[in-house]
Amino acid sequence: MKKDTQIQDLIKKEEKRQKSVINLIASENYVSQAVLRALGSVFTNKYAEGYPGKRYYGGNLVVDEVENLARERALKLFKLSPKKWAVNVQPYSGSPANIAVYLALVPIGGKIMGMRLDMGGHLTHGHKVSASGKIWRQIPYGVNKKTEQLDYDELEEIAKKEKPKLIVAGFTAYPRRIDWKAFRLVADVCGAALMADMSHIAGLVAGGAHPSPFPYADIVTTTVHKTLRGPRSAMIFSRTDRLHASGFKFHELIDKAVFPGLQGGPHVNQIAGIAAALYEASQPEFKKYAAQIVKNARVLAEELAKKGWRIVSGGTDNHLLLVDTWQKGVSGKDASTLLEKAGIIVNMNAIPFDERKPMDPSGIRIGTAAVTTQGMKEKDMKRIAARIHSVLDAAGSLKTEEKKA
Ligand code: DSN
């Protein structure tokens, strides 16, 4: 067989691209060689439908060890007792993980209270274009118009009125600290189960740089590839010592929903990658990494604000910030295109109460997990903020000139 050089060339090309840019996509990161090695390992050859000790295929003794190791490391990393929590490491990614939870806990057509996409929620928190909003009914919530932050009193009113079966706490574009206890109280007023989707901040929670949802949630979903710096994959944690309203144990419902409810054979290479990433996240250096991500985001926000850019909600407590670029006449799409030309990768993003369209919203989202992995610190953030400012300010001035003309 003639050697296929095309895909090798494309891999090299992408490696070069990734090294040559400043990557500020809030949901991305750079994994270690150990994680890449696990992903590219022979575990990709194996079928393993079922769970450790209960498989529908032979030849799974080693696979069982991998899955058990990933589960043990996941519980240990988040300081969870196996008497109170179980974890399912089979979800292919964040979207199927969330759908599996709904399948497990909410009857078809039932109400799921989730953050609106245009205020910082995720498609799978019940948006109408996602299966989560077609099969179930979203009870939307947003942020307060003045503070651009969560308003827990307002959440309580919505929950009392609508009585959802499940409340989803957790966001893709929310820069502030989440008060998990307040969410628990909101869930309790209407007897809903509480699911925390900590995908964006899992690495911060693991490293002690954001409060943990585990003391309050019934279910915690997370992707592994964002601040947690693992493979593209997901996990679902569930209480073993509490019963769901249906009378069944949370973890039993979740396991059945993941397989055979939603998925077939787990991707064992991803599970091996999860185990490798969890090992790394449990090392002392990871605590420093998580703290540095937050420091970097704060400095970036402060520097941009000093240069006159409006930071949504006035700042950040986590790994990301939202910049209202439209306030200075630059749309989110233009901002992202111009920055990419200058070697800075961000994504355009709606800001709360955005009057512009999703394909060209009013802002950009900036995250610091990937650049922090590369070793960048506060002084680098000052340099990056200056570059962002000079690119966007030039565009903003041009727009103002155009308007005047
Ligand atoms: N699409 C991801 C993000 O960028 O936040 C969430 O899944």
Side-chain angles (χ1 to χ4, degrees), residues 27 122 172 200 226 365:
S27 47
H122 189 250
T172 64
H200 262 266
K226 298 185 174 86
R365 185 183 67 162

